[in-house]
Structure formats: C-alpha cells, structure tokens
Amino acid sequence: MKTITCSVSLRKKLPLMLALLLSLAPLLVLSQQPMYAIVEYMKTKPGKEWNYIELERNFWKPVHVERIRQGEIVGWMLYRIRYTAGNDPYNYATVTLFNQTENLEQPGTIDPLTVHPDKDVENWLTETDESRELVIRNLLIQQNFIVPNGEGGDPKFLEVDYMKVKQGNDLPYRDLENKIWKPVHQLLIQSGTRTGWSVWARLYPSGYGMDYQYMTINELANFSQIALPDYEKAIKSAHPHRKVDDIRHKTNQLRTLVKSELWELLDAAY
C-alpha cells in the first residue's frame, strides 16, 4: 500500500491516507503544507485483541480528539489488518496525521490525565502495554492524491501496496505515478470501483536497504469493491496512444510491488 497539499477543508482531507492510507478515512483538500503520517503497527497479545480495541476507542481516542482540538494533529485512525494470523508480525495499525513539521518533533504532548481526570491513568497505560506490542513506527509524507470532486469520503477499507524503488529511481517513479497511474485511478474513481487514491513516501526509517520506500493506497467504500477493477480498460482510456504492455513493463522496471494489505477502518477522529 493511501500516500500519506489542500484546498477545500483540512477535515475533509483526512481519511485518504492512508487514505491510509495509507489513507487510508476523509483526507484531503489542497494546502501549501505537506501532509505527514505516523503509522504505528501493533501486534495484539494472545487473548487481548478485543481489550486492545476497547482501550483504543475508550481511552486513547479521547486523547487524540484533544490533540486535534489543540491543533497538534489533524486526524487519527485505527485499522484492523485483515487476513493476518498468529505468525504475522502485526495485525493492527494506527495512523496519526500532521500538517505542521514542528508538531512532529515532540508528538504526544497531551497528558492523558487532563483528558481522563476521573480514571486511573497508570492502570490504563499498563493495560495498553499488556494488550499489544508496538512493532514498527514509520513516518510518511504524502506525495500525491485524488479525492473525488474535492470531497473526502469515509472509506471503510484501504488497499495498501508497499513499493520498493531502486536507488536513483525516485524521481522517475514519482513521475510515473503522477503522469501514468494517477489518470488511471481517476477513471477508476469516476467509475465507482474506488473512492480515492494516494501515494506516500517513507521518510524514517529510510534507505534503499529497507523493504519498501513508498506506499500507494486505494480507498474502498465497502467490501464489494475489493474485486479487481478493469485496469486494462482504464489504462486504455487514460492513455489511448500508448500500449498497455509498455506501461506495465515501464512500471515493473521502476518499482517492485513487495506486498499488498487490506486495512479495515475501525474508528477515527478528525
């Protein structure tokens, strides 16, 4: 698998993140500020999955709502990663969206005690640690996106594709996504088989020895949209004077699709 500038209203921009998406929920309206996403991958501990979900919803979501109110972040989403099992390294992900780099330096300045003055915060923090393990934390920056008619929806699912790009191919790859694939995804969105699309670059940790450098995110309104859309038809419509096989060959030269994941939106705050 989203990635994670604006014009209509920042709140409507949120869920594209990554759409995840990323987007990944309603994400995107153009602004002069880039959109950043901190993606945290979680592995729930045996017998603690539902406890983890309730902790995110009942304890941590109100904290993120306060962060939004104070302007520290612009959105937060909780995703379940479908079709994972015990041996998979993670099965949940949270996405926190920022539009100011200064807020990235020390994220999470809100004291949970100010949000939950009547709760035993230390106990809730302990329960959080006992319910899941934070496996991976990545910082992404959004490179490109499409929101139909300038309006963000609230996509229930994200198709998150992880792309590996060879050193020296970053600019050609981004150019490929912008000039070749963006018009294709625009047609898929217009046809109703997708609701949004975005491209995100991995800022940290980074390097060409990593497993991926970019994420692309397709937004789906519901599970029925998972069936593969007619990419060949969309490619021919978007680029009538180019051969489909040539486009696919060029794409495969510039990037490797490492893996695809299906993310289900469980909760969000904007």
Side-chain angles (χ1 to χ4, degrees):
M1 343 114 317
K2 97 178 203 178
T3 157
I4 61 49
T5 68
C6 287
S7 95
V8 183
S9 98
L10 197 52
R11 282 175 189 261
K12 293 177 183 175
K13 176 175 180 177
L14 299 183
L16 215 89
M17 162 177 340
L18 165 269
L20 98 45
L21 50 69
L22 295 165
S23 174
L24 356 79
L27 209 278
L28 279 14
V29 214
L30 268 146
S31 87
Q32 299 305 311
Q33 297 171 317
M35 182 68 73
Y36 298 91
I38 291 179
V39 182
E40 295 178 309
Y41 295 82
M42 312 290 186
K43 178 69 173 181
T44 55
K45 297 182 179 180
K48 296 289 187 177
E49 184 168 354
W50 294 110
N51 188 36
Y52 166 69
I53 294 172
E54 290 305 303
L55 283 163
E56 289 284 12
R57 284 177 167 160
N58 298 326
F59 183 77
W60 290 107
K61 181 179 178 179
V63 175
H64 297 303
V65 169
E66 179 62 18
R67 296 174 74 193
I68 293 166
R69 191 187 71 81
Q70 294 195 24
E72 181 179 299
I73 64 175
V74 295
W76 169 87
M77 289 85 86
L78 169 65
Y79 292 96
R80 175 191 289 124
I81 300 172
R82 286 289 198 100
Y83 309 112
T84 57
N87 291 331
D88 289 298
Y90 51 82
N91 57 345
Y92 285 83
T94 62
V95 178
T96 308
L97 298 171
F98 298 77
N99 67 340
Q100 298 183 50
T101 53
E102 55 266 31
N103 289 338
L104 286 166
E105 185 175 1
Q106 292 183 330
T109 59
I110 305 299
D111 185 350
L113 188 59
T114 63
V115 180
H116 300 290
D118 57 337
K119 286 185 168 64
D120 183 347
V121 170
E122 287 300 322
N123 183 60
W124 284 74
L125 295 176
T126 299
E127 283 195 42
T128 300
D129 288 338
E130 291 176 348
S131 69
R132 58 87 177 126
E133 179 184 356
L134 173 57
V135 180
I136 303 167
R137 178 183 286 128
N138 288 335
L139 174 62
L140 311 179
I141 183 170
Q142 190 182 62
Q143 300 287 311
N144 214 327
F145 67 92
I146 302 170
V147 177
N149 303 319
E151 300 285 338
D154 199 3
K156 178 64 175 175
F157 293 95
L158 303 180
E159 287 181 340
V160 181
D161 294 334
Y162 297 79
M163 306 297 187
K164 187 170 181 63
V165 175
K166 291 182 180 179
Q167 190 166 356
N169 279 346
D170 289 83
L171 289 177
Y173 168 71
R174 291 200 295 265
D175 194 56
L176 176 85
E177 290 286 3
N178 186 50
K179 294 181 179 179
I180 300 298
W181 288 105
K182 185 174 184 177
V184 172
H185 288 287
Q186 184 72 66
L187 290 174
L188 294 175
I189 291 167
Q190 291 171 1
S191 73
T193 61
R194 295 289 183 267
T195 61
W197 170 86
S198 59
V199 180
W200 298 77
R202 184 181 190 176
L203 284 179
Y204 297 105
S206 61
Y208 295 97
M210 306 295 290
D211 51 346
Y212 76 96
Q213 289 76 37
Y214 293 89
M215 293 168 64
T216 63
I217 297 174
N218 286 302
E219 298 183 12
L220 291 74
N222 51 60
F223 198 83
S224 66
Q225 290 187 334
I226 288 174
L228 289 176
D230 193 340
Y231 273 100
E232 184 163 340
K233 180 181 178 181
I235 293 170
K236 289 179 178 178
S237 296
H239 306 289
H241 304 297
R242 302 190 65 169
K243 294 181 179 179
V244 173
D245 286 345
D246 290 345
I247 289 175
R248 286 174 171 161
H249 179 70
K250 182 65 174 178
T251 300
N252 291 333
Q253 280 185 321
L254 290 176
R255 62 96 177 112
T256 299
L257 173 57
V258 178
K259 63 178 176 179
S260 297
E261 294 174 342
L262 183 64
W263 292 18
E264 179 186 6
L265 181 67
L266 298 184
D267 213 332
Y270 315 117

